[in-house]
Amino acid sequence: MTADAALTRAAALGAVSAKWLAAGLSTAPADRDAAADAVRLAYRSAGLPEPAHIVWFASPSAGARAAALLTGRRDLPGGPEDKARWDAEIAAELRAQGCPPSPGTAGVSVRAAVRNQPWAAARAEVYALLGPDGWAGLWSACGADVWRMVNDRVAAPLRAHLRTELPSHARTVLLDAVGGQHDAGWLAAFDAAASGAADPSDPAAGTIVPWPRSAADDRPTARGDAGSTGSTGNGAAATHGIGGAAGVSPGWHVPGSAAGVDSATRGAGGNSATRPGDGGGAATHEISGNSAGAAGDDARGTGGDGAAGGLPAAGRAGGAVLHAVQRLAGLAGVARSAGWWWPYANVAILTDRPDSLQRDNIGRLHAADMPALRYSDGFALHAWRGMPIPSDLVDRLSQLTSDQITTERNAELRRVMLEHFGYERYLREAGAQQAGQDACGVLWRLTFADDEPLTMVEVVNSTPEPDGTSRIYWLRVPPWTRTAREGVAWTFGLTKEEYRPLVET
């Protein structure tokens, strides 16, 4: 492979990764029409009848409560103090959307058929094509970073928060949920495979052959992000028309799934209106399966403009057709259009995306004076450097005292308080003891009854400031540190014997 080809492939993989990161972190309003169409496609692709009802709620919390009501999970342990109130609110919303708010209405969970089994089949298909090294390379290039930023740093804290906030009889339905936009990590890897899979006949097997982008991929989205510090925009705005030609999500196509959708290729949320076919034309399809020049899984269209139908070359590699990967189109459409959702036999419960997302410089949920994650119905998650915190702590942070920090029994919350209050100030006010001093600095230690000691090294910057003063820094070091030199050396990954700087700056 030439250097130019390698750069082209890396750029294509980067574009796929960036697209899904934007979708996973989007705070734009949900595209409800596109998401509902994608849900129907996901059911058909799994060989299931479409759900009789598709209902919407503003947050995962409300969605989980609706799932608990519709599945009849009310006989589990838990206090009834708030159940009557939120049951009435959820029931009213269900009635307004034409869904009977009765236990059992939802039917059984079909998450395994709609999400788990298609995922496993797609992974097995791509793994068989690329081999272990190729799969690892694909995941590293297109999935791992998105997974870390979206699932690990946003979805996981949200899930933990829901487990503490929801009534106990509603928590079990979290197992029925599909991540929607928070599935962006693994969908990114499969999108890369569908957009241009590694060719086993290529001498550089295990690399990804990028699929040419449609001009519509570069079209500005219809709306930008609404208040997120981590997302650069919706990244998922659909350009399809309801009842007209549907948008085709780049990299996704569904060949011959159940319920007569041989050529339904609408990814329901892709930002490309058309998809170039094998012959260089553009295949345009209806969500109903009526296609412009498509006659089946591998058919050629004969439209006057050279449009091509059927499975694009993007779904091929060395003659292999990624059928299982292409059947993830419905899941991908929901992920690019909405938040968490619950698939049941009779009812699909969908939720909106958050309207505000605040993160720190490494992507963790973080905000000092407002929720780090907030939904339009008021459900919110407060967090400090990735750790969920009680909402009342936000108000308390501005009025903290050293005594309040010392008496806080929760060690994790105490660390949040310390970071906000300032270590130097706390050590001074709480009466820390000097534990040692040498040429590298001063070692300070403050003990707690229920946590490891707070141990810090006070160091002086060797380079004077313009006014001639020297800035003082505080380095937190492990509690086992015995000397200032040992602590400073530890910050460089060295032992005290190895730390012998010739020049300090």
Side-chain angles (χ1 to χ4, degrees), residues 123-139:
R123 185 189 185 282
E125 184 177 66
V126 176
Y127 189 91
L129 177 69
L130 302 183
D133 291 342
W135 168 257
L138 174 66
W139 177 252

Side-chain angles (χ1 to χ4, degrees), residues 40-208:
R40 297 184 185 101
L41 178 56
Y43 274 63
R44 294 197 303 269
S45 298
L48 299 173
E50 296 178 5
H53 302 280
I54 296 178
V55 295
W56 282 89
F57 288 88
S59 69
S61 175
R65 294 169 188 267
L69 189 155
L70 293 175
T71 57
R73 300 185 187 182
R74 301 178 173 210
D75 55 349
L76 301 174
E81 55 277 0
D82 293 324
K83 188 174 71 173
R85 177 183 60 80
W86 67 254
D87 270 3
E89 295 173 355
I90 296 296
E93 290 197 47
L94 289 169
R95 288 192 192 94
Q97 298 182 61
C99 180
S102 306
T105 297
V108 299
S109 172
V110 294
R111 184 183 191 273
V114 170
R115 193 269 190 191
N116 295 359
Q117 293 167 13
W119 177 90
R123 185 189 185 282
E125 184 177 66
V126 176
Y127 189 91
L129 177 69
L130 302 183
D133 291 342
W135 168 257
L138 174 66
W139 177 252
S140 177
C142 276
D145 286 344
V146 181
W147 179 273
R148 183 173 66 255
M149 288 294 180
V150 175
N151 186 79
D152 292 350
R153 297 188 177 175
V154 178
L158 173 59
R159 193 176 299 112
H161 182 57
L162 283 166
R163 283 197 295 265
T164 62
E165 291 293 308
L166 287 171
S168 58
H169 59 283
R171 294 171 198 160
T172 56
V173 299
L174 294 177
L175 300 175
D176 299 338
V178 179
Q181 69 176 135
H182 291 161
D183 279 336
W186 62 268
L187 285 168
F190 290 127
D191 190 4
S195 298
D199 187 346
S201 65
D202 191 326
T207 60
I208 303 299

Side-chain angles (χ1 to χ4, degrees), residues 385-425:
R385 305 200 191 285
M387 189 186 80
I389 60 175
S391 58
D392 65 336
L393 180 58
V394 175
D395 296 329
R396 292 160 51 197
L397 287 177
S398 61
Q399 305 173 16
L400 275 180
T401 66
S402 60
D403 288 341
Q404 290 174 328
I405 297 174
T406 302
T407 57
E408 173 59 53
R409 308 305 298 173
N410 185 308
E412 290 185 335
L413 293 184
R414 184 190 300 129
R415 290 168 189 166
V416 171
M417 293 176 173
L418 280 168
E419 288 189 14
H420 190 274
F421 192 78
Y423 288 109
E424 176 185 0
R425 177 185 173 192

